[in-house]
Amino acid sequence: MLNLNLPKAWSQVTIEQFREIRSLNIEDGTFDYNVDVLSILSDLPVEDFDEIELDELQGIIKQLSWMTSEPSKKYQHQLGELKLKPFVDITLGEFITLESFVTDDYIKNLRNICAILYRKTSTDEWGNVIFEPYKFKSSDRVNLFDEYPITSVFGLIPEYLQFRQNFLDSHSNLMTESYEDDEEIDDPEERKEQEQEKKSSKWGWEQLIWTMCNGDLSKFDSITDTKLVLIFNFLAMRKELEI
């Protein structure tokens, strides 16, 4: 019989283990799925479970009943020397990068998301907290988060998703809508309009930055480093005043 040192709660599961478990597909077979879960949680190779009997496997899996619920929605505002950047202070460039990770697979990209949201800080002479600029690749920092418990960051995801949805909803009239080619159009003029909408959807963020730069790409960095909320406030003003 295998002697496994298994976690007894989500608080004992690391971010990396959680990502690995969520990448598994139970449709590959319940037995293989359960073996893979045990391999991840016990940090033992799958081969160590080759001789395990079904009854023994089922008995061990019962010890993991806590996995039927999700991790706690609480999260930490500081991990080591890194502090969580308030969502309202996120820059346009950070939001665009976060969008690519969130819309792809936010669990698979959880460490990249954390690398953008948790940052080094300093304090100015007035005691204000200054967050380091986003001048690094998130992929260079993902390993910093591997060994933290999943409960330290899991609740951050639904809260950020809610912030994101609220922002997109409140600024929907300023966003380039995603385009779905779900019908064939025969009229040449309508087809031309359809193709233009398709192109606009493809280059949505680039169009927005181009608009804010007034065509001067030397201003690119200054625009992407500006707070997201401020950028869209100015877009709303320009639209309302037609300037």
Side-chain angles (χ1 to χ4, degrees):
M1 178 176 290
L2 286 169
N3 183 20
L4 303 177
N5 183 23
L6 295 173
K8 296 179 172 56
W10 281 120
S11 59
Q12 298 174 359
V13 176
T14 67
I15 292 173
E16 181 57 15
Q17 288 174 323
F18 182 79
R19 290 177 60 252
E20 290 179 8
I21 290 171
R22 284 296 181 95
S23 70
L24 300 176
N25 188 351
I26 197 170
E27 293 181 1
D28 293 337
T30 303
F31 183 89
D32 289 339
Y33 173 84
N34 287 334
V35 166
D36 287 338
V37 169
L38 292 179
S39 172
I40 292 168
L41 293 179
S42 63
D43 199 26
L44 294 174
V46 173
E47 291 74 21
D48 285 10
F49 297 86
D50 283 347
E51 305 301 322
I52 194 170
E53 297 291 337
L54 181 58
D55 289 346
E56 182 182 355
L57 177 64
Q58 290 176 337
I60 297 173
I61 290 299
K62 286 182 180 179
Q63 301 176 37
L64 304 177
S65 59
W66 49 267
M67 290 184 65
T68 57
S69 59
E70 288 194 325
S72 168
K73 294 298 192 297
K74 295 180 180 180
Y75 59 90
Q76 295 179 20
H77 285 74
Q78 183 163 348
L79 298 176
E81 66 173 349
L82 305 177
K83 291 184 179 180
L84 180 64
K85 186 173 185 177
F87 298 155
V88 293
D89 290 337
I90 290 173
T91 66
L92 175 63
E94 291 164 352
F95 185 77
I96 292 173
T97 306
L98 285 167
E99 276 295 277
S100 67
F101 290 136
V102 168
T103 56
D104 172 45
D105 184 332
Y106 55 78
I107 295 299
K108 179 183 74 176
N109 297 313
L110 179 57
R111 298 178 305 166
N112 297 81
I113 294 171
C114 288
I116 295 173
L117 293 178
Y118 285 94
R119 306 283 272 280
K120 297 177 183 178
T121 60
S122 62
T123 305
D124 66 14
E125 59 182 312
W126 309 110
N128 300 308
V129 176
I130 308 299
F131 285 86
E132 66 173 317
Y134 183 42
K135 301 298 183 185
F136 56 87
K137 292 182 180 179
S138 63
S139 57
D140 291 339
R141 296 191 178 187
V142 292
N143 292 334
L144 295 176
F145 301 91
D146 283 346
E147 299 305 315
Y148 282 107
I150 184 59
T151 49
S152 65
V153 301
F154 185 75
L156 182 65
I157 295 299
E159 188 161 321
Y160 178 76
L161 292 178
Q162 187 61 60
F163 163 81
R164 171 185 178 270
Q165 193 58 55
N166 290 342
F167 179 83
L168 294 177
D169 289 345
S170 60
H171 297 89
S172 59
N173 62 322
L174 300 174
M175 305 294 291
T176 300
E177 296 183 2
S178 59
Y179 177 79
E180 296 182 5
D181 190 5
D182 56 0
E183 62 177 329
E184 198 61 40
I185 297 177
D186 296 325
D187 183 88
E189 288 301 318
E190 291 185 7
R191 192 184 308 121
K192 183 178 179 180
E193 184 178 340
Q194 183 189 58
E195 288 300 317
Q196 187 58 42
E197 290 176 0
K198 188 175 182 180
K199 292 177 182 177
S200 294
S201 176
K202 176 182 178 182
W203 299 103
W205 289 117
E206 288 81 357
Q207 276 193 88
L208 186 150
I209 296 171
W210 180 264
T211 297
M212 294 303 298
C213 288
N214 288 321
D216 181 1
L217 288 182
S218 66
K219 300 177 181 176
F220 183 93
D221 287 344
S222 64
I223 295 299
T224 55
D225 290 342
T226 301
K227 288 184 181 181
L228 173 73
V229 175
L230 184 59
I231 289 287
F232 275 82
N233 284 344
F234 272 101
L235 285 173
M237 180 195 72
R238 293 178 66 167
K239 183 171 184 177
E240 183 173 336
L241 298 179
E242 298 181 351
I243 58 175

